[in-house]
Amino acid sequence: MPSYEKNAMITLIRVRQNMKQEYVMGHTAASDGLGGTMSRYENNRQEPRMKVFKGLMETMRMPIEAFFCPHFEDQPMEVVVQRPYILNLLDIAENNPSAHDEAARRVEALSSMKGFDVGLNRQFILSCQARLNELTQKNPTDTLLLVKEGMAITYKNFDEHSFDGAGLILEEPRLLHTLASAYQRRGDTADAIALLKRIQKGIESLPKDDHEKDKQLAPLMLNLSKYLIQNSQYEDALETCIQGNEVSIRRNRGRYTADFAYCKALSMHSLGNPNECRKQLILAHSGYILLHETEKAELVKIKAKELGLDFDTYNTESIIIDKPNYTLGFGELPDRTNIGNMLRFMHEQTGMSLEALCHGICSKSNFSKLIIGKIGVHVYHLEPIMQRLGRDINFYANTFLSANDFKEKQMRDEVNIMIITRKYESAAKLLIELEKGKAYQKGVNLQFVKSAWATIAANKDGNTLDYLNMLKEAIAVTMPGFNEKEVNNYRFSYNEIILINKMGNYYCETEELERGIRLFERLMESMDKYYVDETEKIRTYTMILYNYSNFLEHMGRNMEALKFAKKGMMLDVKHQRLNLLPSFADNIGCSLYNIGKKKESVPYFALAYRGSELLGKIHNQQATANFVREHLGITFD
């Protein structure tokens, strides 16, 4: 779900279209109230009303509807959902050639539909065709022509050599990333490196928690590191790997972390550091095994032998994870591309009361006005509403924010990152600034602030009763009268799920195991019933499965713990999310050990140990090392 700053978008599109401010003002259909304020909009001194903003964008031949769903024009949702399917297939095809034909078939079917021969729909088709060209190693010159045609749709007079990287939108980052690949394949590695650096700048201009940024930045930096190695720029490659690995762990659930470890290994070897090279090869091998990328894992072993750097795998290759079906699951789709009609349809499908849907988010009257188009939609309302409807907003809508909202959104993400990385003092300082904003005095934003303060308090004081009360107070912001015994009957937003998960952990860690376990079970039952878009459900579901299986093992219910840990591992493998896989491996290892299967537990403990190191989870790594040394007499290298 790209988020765009309205004022910045006006300037970007106007400059690209070579239009003067006076021309845009004079030809804007919604010019009433526009006056002489164009320069004020572009300098962030005045916020354009939604009617004016729509008119300005239409004048510049970039109607807001073009950014919806995200970007297909005048197409029903049944067609729009093909976009994530195709992008998912292309991602799989990077490592699995068997997906090439299916991806090509879907792209061809889409391109033959009415409306896909022009405009932004055409840009998506060209982007996919160019990427397929590269995946199937076709002529790089053909790729170049496809990319230039695609870029011309949104970037007038585009020149890849003078392009500075600023303000990339829609399919532009993917098109240019593919162009860099074509450069590299035709031998222009230096040009490919320079272009990737410019694209990186453009992607980094997106908000830090932006979905498109998450999807595109890590693979771009991975290719940049590979090209730098090919160009013998080993120190630059190593630095790019370090930065890219951080992006992968924090923003892409660790998906490319094993790849970065392998590139680090190659760089370290070329820089004359065989010990570090061996270490990174070990970590890369374990990461690939965890992600079920067995062919890559075997290539790491072959490379290690070539370099004389063999290592013990502890038979991790013997671990069999059921190969998942990579088809994405979505709920029933409306046949409209109007956001109001889409929300009405999704709401009607649930049978949920309007009061329950809106409570703590927006008033019922405002929601009613929103679905008939009388008022604009705000991301802080739209996102939790769609989550309560069990939907993933990233596949249905893009959002436009004011300069202030845009800044606050970035601050909010910084708080999240600081909490994840345990920088609690820095998070507290940002929270104090954030809660001064008017938007953070009530509703879901106030809930976010209260939840963050609760986490900081828990780190400072531990699992006290005050911490539990802070969690309950945060939930009450959007769900007054919340009853934990009725959790399985509620529909929850992302933040509400996080809070209930923390409550479950609190109970289990304060010796109320049965109460915590029941809360996890009710929460999973709710998500199984109501989260109809798998991509939204998976954001929190495997985290709950991990906690659930972990505490089941503590209760001695090892066979159940084993079952749910394996389920969580399979789901995260399907979605290529590495972050929790070492923890699931540790849970499985403990359960196997507890039921007497000590030999079978060793490969899982090895993956838990090395996977935790790969992700920088040193505390987890040490805990696994201590258990294995004490109970199995093994010391992992």
Side-chain angles (χ1 to χ4, degrees), residues 397-430:
N398 300 307
T399 56
F400 295 91
L401 306 179
S402 68
N404 188 59
D405 286 341
F406 196 85
K407 178 182 176 182
E408 288 180 349
K409 193 171 189 289
Q410 291 183 304
M411 288 174 63
R412 177 172 172 159
D413 185 66
E414 281 295 322
V415 170
N416 273 329
I417 293 297
M418 288 173 180
I419 287 175
I420 290 169
T421 55
R422 303 178 186 275
K423 297 177 181 177
Y424 296 112
E425 289 186 9
S426 298
K429 290 178 182 178
L430 264 186

Side-chain angles (χ1 to χ4, degrees), residues 255-310:
R255 178 171 184 175
Y256 300 96
T257 304
D259 296 302
F260 282 115
Y262 185 65
C263 287
K264 280 185 191 177
L266 299 181
S267 299
M268 287 294 187
H269 182 266
S270 297
L271 291 169
N273 191 339
N275 290 333
E276 187 62 27
C277 173
R278 180 177 180 273
K279 175 182 175 181
Q280 294 300 324
L281 287 172
I282 291 171
L283 297 182
H285 181 270
S286 298
Y288 288 139
I289 293 293
L290 282 166
L291 288 167
H292 203 53
E293 295 181 344
T294 52
E295 291 182 5
K296 284 187 176 182
E298 184 59 30
L299 289 175
V300 171
K301 286 289 294 178
I302 292 170
K303 175 58 79 172
K305 286 182 180 179
E306 288 178 2
L307 300 176
L309 300 171
D310 273 358

Side-chain angles (χ1 to χ4, degrees), residues 53 70 207 302 397 490:
F53 181 55
I302 292 170
Y490 288 119

